[in-house]
Amino acid sequence: MIEKTAAELASALNNGEISSVELTQAYLDRISAHNEQLNAFITVCEESALNQAKAADEKRANGDSTPLLGVPMAHKDIFCTEGVTTSCGSRMLHNFIAPYNATVVENFNAAGAVMLGKTNMDEFAMGSSNETSFFGPVRNPWDLERVPGGSSGGSAAAIAADLCGMATGTDTGGSIRQPAAFCGITGFKPSYGRVSRWGMIAFASSLDQAGPICKSAEDAALMTNVMAGLDIKDSTSADIATEDYTAQLGQSLEGIKIGIPKQHFAEGLSTGVEQSIRDALAEYEKLGATLKEIDLPNNHLSVSAYYVVAPAEASANLSRYDGVRYGYRCENPVDLEDMYKRTRSEGFGDEVKRRIMVGTYALSAGFYDAYYRKAQKIRRLIKNDFDAAFKDVDVVIGPTSPHTAFKLGAKTDPVAMYLEDIYTIAVNLAGLPGISIPAGMSDGLPIGMHIVGNDFAESRVLNVAHQFQLATDWHKQKPDLSGAGS
Ligand code: GLN
């Protein structure tokens, strides 16, 4: 049962095949058997999960059939959860108990989902391998010597290893899609502003977006139905009507036009990944789509522009962690300045400090125009490239990552790590929706395909992903964990 998609779990619950309490207990057992190896969860909420499950069973008995009622899930530890530790993967917040729920969490609670716990992540969502977490790295269920990707590596590993039915993630430059690719699962980043950021610990506010990490595009649609919508508590949340994101899933792909960015099939792409994506594109042709090569001429500037904009915003957002109001505070400060300095030196890890320094530098008086303003101009050019492309095509498809999951400890150079998001970052800079779905295997490791849509074309992206999953079985492949854990 635990291997089922959220949609399948919901129908098993509806048919009375299993209760939410039984299902929740099955996941809790699975977590206790495998979390030691995988390190996917930072916090497990056994008691409250079982209480929520009981409440869901009672609601169902009283005739409530909300789509995700009683389905056990996990939240990335970046979402504030009332009364539950919300660490953001950092020593700075390792003892922080949130006093309120993020809107995303509230929405899932209102939908009757069961929260099993909080998942591991790169510190403050900065990273592509989950190795910057204060709580230690997450291991990839397909190969325990490899990274799960990041920063939502805990959620992705938890889904791949069937430790939960669905999970949330956040994506600032690729943190939902790249771990989804490395773990062989589905990860969807909606358009910027589609999902409220309220109560989601801020990294780079103009780029951060929450989304589903799950087992199918259908699940991503069901989760988007719960997550999406205007939230007056988030001033950047979009005042654009939501849709029923499951409504278009069944639409035929006959006649749709797929753009293939030539920059995403160039140097640096591994042959195994390229072959799988080309095979997947051939599958789309069989489904009635036509392929057209497109040009994203400024794509090569996206990583550089991102690594000015994101650290700049992070340096401002992270200035609030000073030991005064919440989180970590150094021992025995001699005066205020000593407290600020030591709290921040001891509370943040190396990657976070690097970003704060880069960001502060880029925003400083003498360099603002040369770096920050320039990066914002590049951002506009990148968006223009997509606007031009979407005049001719309905979606853009390519690989999510240039390669499959790499070994733990393999990337020590920060710039090599930054290049991980070479295909995903431009989508955040442009604010567009993008999904990664499994599309092949290479040497026993999953390969992710990246499908990008125009502004607020969530339904189209989910439809294109779902039709591929109806025609293929890549999303049903599972890692073998029998040798791992008890
Ligand atoms: N890997 C990118 C970074 O380190 C993106 C992270 C994210 O999307 N949160 O900033």
Side-chain angles (χ1 to χ4, degrees):
M1 188 64 79
I2 55 169
E3 69 292 344
K4 288 190 184 301
T5 65
E8 291 163 349
L9 292 175
S11 77
L13 288 164
N14 274 334
N15 299 337
E17 284 167 53
I18 194 165
S19 71
S20 177
V21 168
E22 289 165 334
L23 192 55
T24 300
Q25 191 58 56
Y27 282 115
L28 290 169
D29 292 347
R30 178 87 173 165
I31 293 169
S32 60
H34 291 291
N35 199 47
E36 212 174 293
Q37 269 102 353
L38 297 173
N39 201 21
F41 279 84
I42 293 174
T43 305
V44 180
C45 309
E46 191 161 342
E47 202 182 315
S48 58
L50 288 167
N51 285 336
Q52 280 185 315
K54 205 163 152 247
D57 284 336
E58 279 161 15
K59 275 194 185 162
R60 184 165 266 112
N62 291 328
D64 187 336
S65 60
T66 315
L68 296 172
L69 180 64
V71 176
M73 72 176 304
H75 285 297
K76 184 178 182 180
D77 211 15
I78 199 167
F79 292 98
C80 285
T81 41
E82 189 178 350
V84 176
T85 308
T86 300
S87 74
C88 217
S90 181
R91 184 182 193 193
M92 189 59 93
L93 291 174
H94 76 282
N95 58 355
F96 173 61
I97 303 205
Y100 59 87
N101 282 327
T103 297
V104 163
V105 173
E106 277 296 310
N107 289 352
F108 277 107
N109 285 347
V114 171
M115 182 178 89
L116 295 165
K118 307 289 294 288
T119 53
N120 204 344
M121 54 180 285
D122 278 300
E123 185 178 9
F124 283 99
M126 298 174 189
S128 297
S129 66
N130 222 112
E131 293 170 294
T132 72
S133 170
F134 173 63
F135 299 89
V138 175
R139 289 171 183 271
N140 190 317
W142 290 88
D143 176 350
L144 298 179
E145 297 306 308
R146 290 178 189 268
V147 303
S151 65
S152 314
S155 288
I159 289 293
D162 296 323
L163 306 188
C164 57
M166 55 182 181
T168 52
T170 62
D171 191 313
T172 305
S175 278
I176 288 177
R177 293 160 289 158
Q178 184 254 18
F182 280 14
C183 290
I185 54 148
T186 297
F188 180 42
K189 181 198 91 70
S191 305
Y192 181 78
R194 187 62 300 176
V195 174
S196 168
R197 291 186 297 111
W198 196 75
M200 190 175 111
I201 294 172
F203 162 13
S205 308
S206 76
L207 299 158
D208 298 342
Q209 182 62 199
I213 295 191
C214 51
K215 299 183 184 178
S216 69
E218 183 187 16
D219 283 6
L222 285 165
M223 290 180 72
T224 305
N225 279 350
V226 173
M227 297 174 83
L230 174 67
D231 179 7
I232 50 163
K233 294 195 209 116
D234 169 6
S235 62
T236 60
S237 136
D239 191 3
I240 294 174
T242 55
E243 296 163 44
D244 173 356
Y245 296 100
T246 61
Q248 307 294 320
L249 290 176
Q251 207 159 298
S252 150
L253 299 187
E254 199 62 53
I256 79 148
K257 293 198 198 91
I258 296 177
I260 316 295
K262 62 179 180 209
Q263 287 80 2
H264 291 195
F265 289 85
E267 204 193 317
L269 179 60
S270 81
T271 47
V273 174
E274 173 161 9
Q275 194 49 54
S276 288
I277 303 302
R278 297 226 183 260
D279 291 348
L281 289 168
E283 186 67 42
Y284 273 117
E285 285 184 298
K286 281 196 226 152
L287 295 174
T290 52
L291 310 182
K292 182 176 192 279
E293 186 175 90
I294 59 160
D295 197 11
L296 298 174
N298 294 294
N299 188 72
H300 66 290
L301 300 173
S302 61
V303 172
S304 318
Y306 172 91
Y307 278 98
V308 172
V309 174
E313 293 181 15
S315 72
N317 277 326
L318 271 58
S319 64
R320 72 190 69 175
Y321 305 108
D322 56 6
V324 175
R325 283 161 296 183
Y326 43 70
Y328 179 76
R329 178 185 292 173
C330 70
E331 298 275 336
N332 306 320
V334 295
D335 57 23
L336 186 64
E337 188 161 330
D338 181 47
M339 185 185 77
Y340 287 158
K341 269 195 196 153
R342 282 203 291 120
T343 293
R344 288 169 70 79
S345 308
E346 294 163 19
F348 290 135
D350 288 349
E351 184 57 31
V352 173
K353 287 180 193 161
R354 187 175 295 123
R355 307 275 179 119
I356 291 172
M357 285 191 290
V358 169
T360 308
Y361 180 83
L363 290 176
S364 60
F367 298 102
Y368 183 93
D369 285 337
Y371 293 103
Y372 189 72
R373 198 184 298 280
K374 182 90 155 253
Q376 293 290 20
K377 287 181 178 169
I378 292 171
R379 190 171 183 177
R380 182 72 240 173
L381 295 177
I382 287 167
K383 173 75 168 120
N384 289 350
D385 287 353
F386 279 108
D387 286 347
F390 284 117
K391 288 205 174 91
D392 290 335
V393 300
D394 299 299
V395 289
V396 171
I397 297 188
T400 307
S401 164
H403 43 243
T404 53
F406 50 89
K407 290 233 160 88
L408 284 151
K411 286 194 199 280
T412 47
D413 170 24
V415 176
M417 194 67 90
Y418 298 167
L419 287 167
E420 273 303 294
D421 295 312
I422 182 86
Y423 305 139
T424 51
I425 270 182
V427 172
N428 300 75
L429 289 167
L432 303 172
I435 197 167
S436 179
I437 60 171
M441 300 283 287
S442 176
D443 296 327
L445 295 168
I447 287 167
M449 171 164 61
H450 190 206
I451 307 167
V452 181
N454 207 348
D455 291 310
F456 294 93
E458 274 70 26
S459 286
R460 171 59 95 187
V461 170
L462 291 163
N463 163 237
V464 171
H466 180 67
Q467 290 300 312
F468 184 78
Q469 293 187 335
L470 287 179
T472 62
D473 271 343
W474 296 113
H475 62 298
K476 295 191 180 145
Q477 310 291 315
K478 295 274 181 186
D480 179 9
L481 277 177
S482 55
S486 48

